[in-house]
Amino acid sequence: MARRIFVHVNSDIDIGGFMMPKAIRWKDGRIFNIETVTDFRPANSLAGRLPGDCYTVVIGGKTKYLYFERSGSRVPGCFGRWFVLVG
């Protein structure tokens, strides 16, 4: 069964408000630059907990999936968090 691993993501937000991930940083400090985003689609997080998005990205020439889970919190500045599925 796949499990979520939360990761740090460097991203840009353009003038239209679109968020574009640029790099993923693992907890151990390894950084993986995102070469391109090939697809974006709405996707609820696992078990339909919270609304979110799935980004299809290319890292090291390989297609990977990066998820953004929007926060259900009303805490100012808490927009959401990024994760990948492993396993």
Side-chain angles (χ1 to χ4, degrees), residues 22-24 31-36 58-60:
K22 297 296 185 181
I24 297 171
I31 296 174
F32 297 92
N33 290 319
I34 295 171
E35 296 160 22
T36 188
V58 177
I59 298 173

Side-chain angles (χ1 to χ4, degrees), residues 65-87:
Y65 301 98
L66 175 63
Y67 298 89
F68 184 76
E69 177 183 75
R70 293 188 203 132
S71 175
S73 171
R74 295 186 185 263
V75 176
C78 184
F79 184 61
R81 56 190 181 166
W82 295 94
F83 68 92
V84 295
L85 295 175
V86 297

Side-chain angles (χ1 to χ4, degrees), residues 33-38 55-64:
N33 290 319
I34 295 171
E35 296 160 22
T36 188
V37 175
T38 60
Y55 290 78
T56 304
V57 300
V58 177
I59 298 173
K62 296 182 181 180
T63 298
K64 305 289 182 182

Side-chain angles (χ1 to χ4, degrees), residues 40-58:
F40 164 84
R41 67 182 182 279
N44 284 347
S45 61
L46 295 179
R49 293 180 195 152
L50 295 171
D53 305 301
C54 176
Y55 290 78
T56 304
V57 300
V58 177

